[in-house]
Amino acid sequence: MNIQTKSDIDLTVQSFAYVARQLAQAQEERTPATATLHEKILGEAEKHRSALRLLQRDVFEMAEQALRMQAMTTAEFQQLRETAARMIAQAQEAITAIAGQYAPRKLAA
């Protein structure tokens, strides 16, 4: 996996964090946080997760092409796929954690 792909993954997570923060700030200017805000943030989270899935697909396709062209070994191919899958999963978990920060708070009974 190249540096550009790692950077793209990091930028996708950072982009989501920025968008969520902007949505929350815009909402706070109007009214306190609501379930509607959380729904908007969840929608943005899904868009960013989708972008991550596309990145993963691109990495997998690139690796498969390199394997077919014998530019990498089967072991390198497997390692690349595992690394990409792990990094994408971590990025998706980060997005989920960020989105969770904006969940409506439930009052204790």
Side-chain angles (χ1 to χ4, degrees):
M1 185 136 78
N2 63 31
I3 293 173
Q4 181 64 44
T5 302
K6 291 177 184 178
S7 177
D8 289 346
I9 292 168
D10 291 342
L11 285 173
T12 301
V13 173
Q14 291 171 9
S15 170
F16 172 68
Y18 176 80
V19 169
R21 189 169 43 254
Q22 293 300 310
L23 286 171
Q25 287 174 351
Q27 182 70 32
E28 285 176 6
E29 292 173 5
R30 286 180 257 138
T31 59
T34 65
T36 304
L37 168 65
H38 189 59
E39 289 173 17
K40 288 179 185 176
I41 290 174
L42 289 177
E44 287 297 325
E46 185 51 38
K47 288 178 188 176
H48 285 77
R49 284 189 203 101
S50 178
L52 289 170
R53 288 189 297 271
L54 289 173
L55 274 170
Q56 181 173 333
R57 183 200 68 193
D58 291 347
V59 169
F60 285 4
E61 287 177 359
M62 176 206 60
E64 289 170 7
Q65 184 178 14
L67 183 64
R68 281 193 303 273
M69 295 172 50
Q70 299 179 343
M72 71 170 47
T73 65
T74 303
E76 291 170 329
F77 170 77
Q78 289 299 331
Q79 180 65 35
L80 179 68
R81 285 181 57 97
E82 289 170 11
T83 300
R86 185 178 66 253
M87 290 182 72
I88 295 293
Q90 289 171 343
Q92 290 177 335
E93 289 171 9
I95 287 173
T96 298
I98 293 165
Q101 295 173 1
Y102 297 97
R105 304 290 185 242
K106 294 188 178 186
L107 298 175

